[in-house]
Amino acid sequence: MLAYARHLPVLVLYLLVMGLHLWMWRALSTQARRSVVCHTALLLAAALLTAGFLLGFNTVIRMLPQGEWMAWVRAAAMTWSLASFGLALVLWMWRRTPAFRPSRRRILRAASVAAASAPVFAGGFGAFVERSAIRAREVELRFPELPPDLDGLRLAQLTDIHLGPFLSEKELARAIAMANEFQPHLSLITGDLISERSDPLDACLRLLSGLRAEAGICGCLGNHEGYAGVESYAAAEGRRIGIQFLRNQKRALRFGAATLSLAGVDYQKMGGPYLKGLEWLPRPDAFNLLLSHNPDVFPVAARQGHQLVVAGHTHGGQINVEVFGFPFNVAELYTQFVYGVYRLPGAQLWVSRGLGTVGIPVRFGAPPEVALIRLTR
């Protein structure tokens, strides 16, 4: 019973948003007096959401109180704001339908009910099912010039953990067990261990120290460590328990006669300039692997001489919907590197969806994953 108790906040949030969503649809479609109030609420929600994106999501978050319950309050506000846009469009179309065409109005009324209900059911699936459905993803990356002793090298990756209200220690422990089942040569962590300062960073590090790999555990830090002001602490505490976070650093790992030059950088702010002053990281006599939370560094990293970049940050869009075969998600608005393998001459990028969520506890079309990267010739 206790195992399900942690889902209670998700259920409360889900019911709250569902109630507000359907109440607004009914009020706008039946009563003019309530319509004014609802339109005002909609405009306010839209204005707040727009302001949040213009000012920068995390800038807004840092101005608000922190803590587990505040995370749920913010999630409810964001979910309601996002749902309101589609709802308003449907209702606008419905209200503009001529009253003297009863058959057409009935069809559009039914369509509007379906459209108003769809986000509720999709959100429920994303919150209660897909958000916790952690998958093992294996990807094979081929490099014709890969040193023979690196052929078949296995790299396990965890990223975007966001341990806290929306991802439990039990779920993280399950992901770590999945990574260990890969029997990797090297375990990689590519940032965003937590979402904000009040989240359990020490518990996250303690659990991550349970990763098992022949060459150890290495990683880089993400934007949320920077926002929370815990970069130095995370690196020091990680080092104490056997996790090496590379902060604009590199280390050489020997596998037989081959050298893997592993480099890691602190979060590279979106928009660049990227990897400035870090041209010295690649080694001409080694296979160069760069850990970067932000995947947008890839073109610069390729020019500097890194053969492989491993990243996260995007959550694979977190809420990903395909329209006529084209993906639609928030990540598409700010990066071309959302999920999967990308290639440039002499270099490849892998972007993982990661484990956790941020903003709202929902994943849809972008299930959480633990990745195994296998290097081959």
Side-chain angles (χ1 to χ4, degrees):
M1 195 69 182
L2 291 175
Y4 296 97
R6 63 174 302 275
H7 292 291
L8 182 61
V10 186
L11 179 62
V12 172
L13 170 65
Y14 177 68
L15 293 175
L16 173 65
V17 172
M18 178 178 66
L20 286 171
H21 193 71
L22 296 179
W23 173 82
M24 186 174 178
W25 174 82
R26 180 175 176 79
L28 280 172
S29 61
T30 57
Q31 299 187 33
R33 183 176 297 177
R34 285 187 181 179
S35 177
V36 175
V37 176
C38 291
H39 273 301
T40 303
L42 174 62
L43 289 172
L44 179 60
L48 288 173
L49 186 65
T50 304
F53 279 111
L54 289 176
L55 294 173
F57 170 75
N58 286 289
T59 302
V60 177
I61 291 299
R62 286 200 301 270
M63 296 168 59
L64 299 175
Q66 297 190 2
E68 183 169 344
W69 285 106
M70 280 307 304
W72 288 108
V73 170
R74 292 197 302 268
M78 289 185 65
T79 305
W80 170 237
S81 298
L82 290 167
S84 297
F85 285 110
L87 179 60
L89 178 62
V90 169
L91 292 172
W92 177 80
M93 294 172 58
W94 184 84
R95 290 176 71 94
R96 288 180 64 86
T97 303
F100 54 82
R101 296 282 298 277
S103 60
R104 183 181 174 189
R105 195 169 180 84
R106 280 195 298 271
I107 292 173
L108 196 54
R109 179 190 288 270
S112 67
V113 172
S117 304
V120 173
F121 292 108
F125 178 81
F128 296 107
V129 179
E130 194 159 8
R131 178 174 64 94
S132 300
I134 303 172
R135 303 179 182 183
R137 171 67 195 275
E138 297 188 31
V139 57
E140 184 175 275
L141 301 181
R142 297 185 178 185
F143 296 88
E145 304 301 323
L146 187 72
D149 284 340
L150 295 183
D151 191 15
L153 192 73
R154 299 185 302 277
L155 311 170
Q157 181 202 12
L158 295 178
T159 189
D160 297 275
I161 297 164
H162 295 286
L163 186 67
F166 306 152
L167 186 115
S168 69
E169 293 184 26
K170 183 177 180 180
E171 288 166 325
L172 176 55
R174 179 156 53 94
I176 290 169
M178 292 170 67
N180 288 339
E181 286 178 5
F182 291 141
Q183 296 183 333
H185 295 98
L186 180 64
S187 290
L188 306 175
I189 304 164
T190 47
D192 279 3
L193 311 179
I194 57 171
S195 296
E196 57 187 46
R197 191 177 184 88
S198 59
D199 289 339
L201 176 60
D202 285 319
C204 186
L205 291 169
R206 172 177 51 80
L207 288 166
L208 289 173
S209 68
L211 287 167
R212 296 290 176 261
E214 176 185 313
I217 314 166
C218 293
C220 65
L221 299 174
N223 52 311
H224 280 269
E225 280 77 60
Y227 299 146
V230 296
E231 291 171 301
S232 297
Y233 177 83
E237 185 64 13
R239 184 166 55 249
R240 187 183 70 81
I241 60 177
I243 305 172
Q244 184 176 11
F245 288 105
L246 298 168
R247 305 191 60 194
N248 304 332
Q249 299 169 305
K250 65 181 177 181
R251 60 174 296 192
L253 300 173
R254 296 288 294 181
F255 294 93
T259 299
L260 174 71
S261 181
L262 180 66
V265 293
D266 283 350
Y267 175 67
Q268 304 287 292
K269 188 176 180 180
M270 301 294 289
Y274 297 127
L275 307 179
K276 187 176 181 180
L278 298 173
E279 297 82 2
W280 55 273
L281 284 176
R283 287 181 48 166
D285 60 339
F287 182 85
N288 293 280
L289 192 167
L290 176 67
L291 305 180
S292 171
H293 185 66
N294 179 5
D296 278 9
V297 306
F298 178 47
V300 177
R303 288 197 300 270
Q304 290 183 356
H306 296 280
Q307 285 88 5
L308 174 60
V309 179
V310 175
H313 188 49
T314 65
H315 300 193
Q318 189 167 313
I319 299 175
N320 186 47
V321 180
E322 286 198 7
V323 180
F324 302 113
F326 294 96
F328 179 79
N329 56 65
V330 174
E332 294 280 350
L333 301 177
Y334 63 81
T335 182
Q336 61 180 312
F337 307 113
V338 175
Y339 174 68
V341 180
Y342 300 86
R343 294 178 175 87
L344 288 173
Q348 297 187 53
L349 163 70
W350 162 254
V351 185
S352 172
R353 293 184 183 122
L355 292 175
T357 59
V358 70
I360 56 176
V362 173
R363 275 184 177 265
F364 189 82
E369 68 182 14
V370 177
L372 174 68
I373 306 162
R374 184 180 287 106
L375 306 185
T376 71
R377 289 167 59 88

